[in-house]
Amino acid sequence: MIDLRELYQETIFDHYRKPRNYGRLDGANRRAEGYNPLCGDKVVLYLRVENGVILDVRFEGSGCAIATASASLLTENIKGRSEEEALQLMDGFIGMVTGVATTGELGKLEVLAGVREFPQRVKCATLAWHTMKAALKNADEPVTTE
Amino acid sequence: MNPAELQHDSDDLQVLRWRADFPILETQVHGKELVYLDNAATTQKPLAVIEAVSGYYRHYNANVHRGIHALSQRATDAFEAARAKVQRLINAASPDEIIFVRGTTDAINLVAQSYGRSRIKAGDEIILSQMEHHSNIVPWQLLCQQTGASLRIIPVDDSGELQMEAFYALLNERTRLVAVAHVSNTLGTINPVRRIIEYAHAHNVPVLLDGAQAIAHLPVDVQALDCDFYAFSGHKLYGPTGVGVLYGKAALLDAMPPYQGGGNMIRTVSFEGTTYNTLPYKFEAGTPNIAGVIGLGAAVDYVTGIGFDALAMHEQALLAYATPLLADIPGLRIIGRAREKTGILSFVLEGAHPHDIGTILDTQGVAIRTGHHCTMPLMARFGVAATARASFALYNTRQEADALVAAIYKVKEMFER
Ligand SMILES: Cc1ncc(COP(=O)(O)O)c(C=O)c1O
């Protein structure tokens, strides 16, 4: 039996209803768009990066609870980190939601661990992270989950 | 018991008999009984179809139209018998007008590339509608890029019906083709295709109907409709995937150049030049999906055995039962309230994204589709990125509609905590 509460934890609803760091970021020097063509989820990520450190981050977009909560949690978790740390976090996160890595070092991001029981939803959870990577590379073309 | 209840009871008994024909309906998902409401994506297959496909592979697998041995003859007979069944299903004038293709998408691409490229030039116009599936949009866009023609789009009103006045105004001396859905896969709208065809023909413009969502739910008579092309997929008609039909009027098909070259579609080949086979083989290059065609023939037998009167009455009754139940759910908005519909209910729910609805319904055993349903222009028209869509087939019951409603309440309970 699949337990829905594993996926939809209270923290996820909280971030879905009240996304943190939502909106445009004035003074952003990196930006990327992510799109999940399967469900129409869209995220725009704005970063201000100086000397290899992510000083500020905000996001905009419309999506399901998983995609929105994931983007919101991402902003909380990468602010103040170096680019390298953020990318390491991304690898750990993707490992967790795809079920290839064990959890344990991801802190608050672990509320999304339940996604690994729902393979169809992995793309929702990873969209913001792929978009962050594109933004760090300052890639101009929109990233998609396909 | 009042007459309405009596009618419900006899309908229930009939549906139980139909359900018994579909082995998959006994499946459990996540420990719950499967409630399969994704029939607009693909329908389930009755045992008769499954056995027709496996019977071909078990007993007479051979290539068609080329062997002199017994199995090849049997395979060819079954293959051509399926063509005759499809001809009768849609009342085509001749079996030569039935071209077996991979599906609706393949059929429309065939018309775009063969008919379109030989007849449509720069400055010409093709009329589509705002509710088309991507497979009745992109082949025409490709043709426009190749030829310099352009698209004109019939708008959809708030209820999900085509704005016919706009259609009449769009059709002009540059119009070379009208290509519209018989039934919308997202809204369920049954379009006034007779009126569209009459008006287009009055201006000498041919009409292609995308029948993907009509063929399993309405009686289709291509001669009465007088459509020039009709496309559908076997897998939405209780048949196998990978097989479909293009109907075309013989005079049009005869005048069209081949679409693909290869075996079967030729009469003679030499390096100086090749002569083509007659209809329908001119458009059937290569070894076809023989098992698929035979399975489609069995599917046609299955639905005609039930009869479109009986199955349409049941599906309409189910739609009439489920629509108010859904509409009464607070915060739920049904998208697609056309007066004439098939059993498709697209909806959005305040505070819960369709993707989340789909996941939660799945855990309750209820299979629906969520997303843009390959109709992104229509999503833009209604100002949504996605919808949740429940779509009925002949084997669905009122209890399943109740299960859908209960599962939607479960979504609300989770999302409104
Ligand atoms: C209205 C409509 N047109 C075309 C198609 C494409 O059919 P297929 O994918 O079988 O080629 C579909 C099915 O998804 C449809 O619903």
Side-chain angles (χ1 to χ4, degrees), chain B residues 188-377:
Chain B
T189 310
I190 303 173
N191 284 321
V193 291
R194 248 174 224 270
R195 274 197 284 150
I196 290 173
I197 292 165
E198 269 172 26
Y199 189 81
H201 284 181
H203 297 78
N204 289 317
V205 174
V207 177
L208 174 144
L209 295 182
D210 171 351
Q213 296 296 339
I215 195 69
H217 307 287
L218 311 171
V220 172
D221 180 332
V222 291
Q223 292 190 79
L225 287 170
D226 200 26
C227 58
D228 300 275
F229 298 104
Y230 198 94
F232 67 89
S233 302
H235 70 95
K236 296 185 200 279
L237 179 65
Y238 309 102
T241 53
V243 63
V245 170
L246 172 66
Y247 158 82
K249 284 183 180 164
L252 285 171
L253 292 173
D254 251 333
M256 283 158 55
Y259 172 46
Q260 293 179 325
N264 199 43
M265 55 75 71
I266 51 86
R267 178 169 294 131
T268 63
V269 175
S270 74
F271 287 111
E272 286 68 50
T274 289
T275 56
Y276 303 124
N277 207 336
T278 52
L279 290 178
Y281 310 110
K282 182 171 93 176
F283 291 105
E284 293 181 354
T287 299
N289 181 353
I290 303 167
V293 166
I294 290 169
L296 174 58
V300 171
D301 284 343
Y302 182 77
V303 288
T304 49
I306 284 178
F308 279 89
D309 286 346
L311 71 84
M313 202 184 333
H314 166 65
E315 291 177 7
Q316 285 297 324
L318 193 52
L319 179 68
Y321 175 78
T323 303
L325 288 182
L326 253 66
D328 284 350
I329 298 175
L332 187 145
R333 175 161 72 106
I334 294 177
I335 296 189
R337 304 299 303 251
R339 283 159 296 180
E340 291 200 45
K341 282 183 63 170
T342 60
I344 288 178
L345 284 165
S346 257
F347 59 93
V348 291
L349 190 60
E350 223 167 86
H353 188 281
H355 221 181
D356 296 310
I357 298 173
T359 292
I360 296 169
L361 264 52
D362 180 53
T363 63
Q364 307 304 301
V366 180
I368 60 156
R369 169 102 185 254
T370 66
H372 53 58
H373 317 295
C374 300
T375 54
M376 292 178 79

Side-chain angles (χ1 to χ4, degrees), chain A residues 96-114:
Chain A
M96 172 184 77
V97 295
T98 53
V100 300
T102 49
T103 53
E105 290 147 27
L106 290 166
K108 272 180 81 179
L109 294 175
E110 284 174 26
V111 295
L112 280 160

Side-chain angles (χ1 to χ4, degrees), chain B residues 40-41 102-106 108 131-136 181 183-186 210-213 232-236 369 373-374 389:
Chain B
R102 283 189 300 143
T104 311
T105 305
D106 198 26
I108 297 172
M131 66 169 77
E132 296 313 308
H133 189 280
H134 296 163
S135 69
N136 197 28
V183 170
S184 158
N185 65 309
T186 302
D210 171 351
Q213 296 296 339
F232 67 89
S233 302
H235 70 95
K236 296 185 200 279
R369 169 102 185 254
H373 317 295
C374 300
R389 178 190 72 187

Side-chain angles (χ1 to χ4, degrees), chain B residues 39 122 152 229 280 352 396:
Chain B
N39 295 288
R152 293 289 175 271
F229 298 104
N396 290 124

Side-chain angles (χ1 to χ4, degrees), chain A residues 1 8 13 17 37 65 121, chain B residues 30 356 359 372 376 415 417:
Chain A
M1 261 303 290
Y8 292 107
F13 283 118
R17 294 194 192 106
R121 306 304 298 275
Chain B
H30 309 308
D356 296 310
T359 292
H372 53 58
M376 292 178 79
F415 272 71
R417 267 185 307 197

Side-chain angles (χ1 to χ4, degrees), chain B residues 69-93:
Chain B
H69 55 80
L71 293 194
S72 175
Q73 193 53 50
R74 268 177 233 166
T76 304
D77 289 348
F79 188 86
E80 291 304 326
R83 198 188 305 276
K85 289 171 189 181
V86 171
Q87 179 204 348
R88 286 194 295 275
L89 174 74
I90 62 172
N91 192 32

Side-chain angles (χ1 to χ4, degrees), chain A residues 1-2 4-5 7-8 10 13 16-17 35-41 62-66 118 120-121 124, chain B residues 30-32 351-353 355-360 362-364 370-372 376 385-386 410 414-417:
Chain A
M1 261 303 290
I2 279 193
L4 272 176
R5 267 158 315 199
L7 179 64
Y8 292 107
E10 202 43 56
F13 283 118
Y16 177 52
R17 294 194 192 106
Y35 179 59
N36 179 348
L38 266 180
C39 57
D41 289 355
S62 72
C64 62
I66 306 299
F118 294 81
Q120 316 91 316
R121 306 304 298 275
C124 308
Chain B
H30 309 308
K32 300 266 167 56
H353 188 281
H355 221 181
D356 296 310
I357 298 173
T359 292
I360 296 169
D362 180 53
T363 63
Q364 307 304 301
T370 66
H372 53 58
M376 292 178 79
K410 172 110 182 161
M414 288 191 70
F415 272 71
E416 286 171 5
R417 267 185 307 197

